[in-house]
Amino acid sequence: MVIMSIDPGMVRTGLAICDEFEILASPLGVIVEKNRDTLAKKISEQIFETKTELVVIGLPKNMDGTSGESAKKAYLFEKILKKYTDIKTVFWDERQTTVSASISLNELNVRGKKRKNIIDAVSAVIILQSYINYRKNFGLNPTSTAFYNS
């Protein structure tokens, strides 16, 4: 199943995608857009072009596991996205993904403007790879809707 992940941000939104065998997540890019409707429309076009079957949306929970203002924005964004596509969605805890992405980019010595332009895509890769690893470890049936939002 082709799965896309979204790391929604206020200005930059990272996208990643995995192959149909759900082996490896790869960066798809970063969309720089503040307007949520325009962003949702651009992402829905990417969903169509890549033949994505499921979207994983990063859910920015607080460190204690509660949902704050950022999580509410992620839920709202999903509703906006649903205006443009009927794709199945699932939310995935994204705590520490930006920290992990920063560490990875430090190890690769990626700095400055280049880093700013890709960190959200790297975060999206981490979100998606975590999700597909979870699916493998727990043998989730790709047609199961137990974890999906319609």
Side-chain angles (χ1 to χ4, degrees), residues 32-103:
V32 179
E33 180 60 62
K34 289 182 182 180
N35 182 288
R36 301 285 96 179
D37 273 295
T38 304
L39 175 64
K41 187 173 183 181
K42 288 178 179 181
I43 291 174
S44 69
E45 290 167 1
Q46 288 287 323
I47 289 167
F48 177 76
E49 288 175 18
T50 58
K51 297 182 172 106
T52 296
E53 300 168 76
L54 174 67
V55 170
V56 177
I57 300 173
L59 185 63
K61 292 187 174 186
N62 297 323
M63 290 310 291
D64 65 1
T66 60
S67 294
E69 196 59 38
S70 294
K72 289 177 188 173
K73 289 178 183 177
Y75 290 125
L76 177 61
F77 177 72
E78 185 223 17
K79 288 183 177 164
I80 296 169
L81 182 63
K82 292 290 187 171
K83 291 188 334 188
Y84 298 98
T85 179
D86 61 354
I87 192 88
K88 289 183 178 179
T89 58
V90 62
F91 289 96
W92 196 249
D93 188 351
E94 70 165 40
R95 282 179 285 183
Q96 299 295 316
T97 56
T98 302
V99 172
S100 296
S102 283
I103 291 168

Side-chain angles (χ1 to χ4, degrees), residues 95-134:
R95 282 179 285 183
Q96 299 295 316
T97 56
T98 302
V99 172
S100 296
S102 283
I103 291 168
S104 296
L105 293 174
N106 284 343
E107 290 171 356
L108 295 170
N109 200 28
V110 178
R111 305 267 186 245
K113 190 171 186 170
K114 185 175 182 183
R115 177 190 191 99
K116 187 176 181 181
N117 290 336
I118 64 169
I119 194 163
D120 297 299
V122 173
S123 293
V125 167
I126 293 168
I127 291 166
L128 183 53
Q129 193 65 53
S130 170
Y131 179 74
I132 61 178
N133 290 347
Y134 177 85

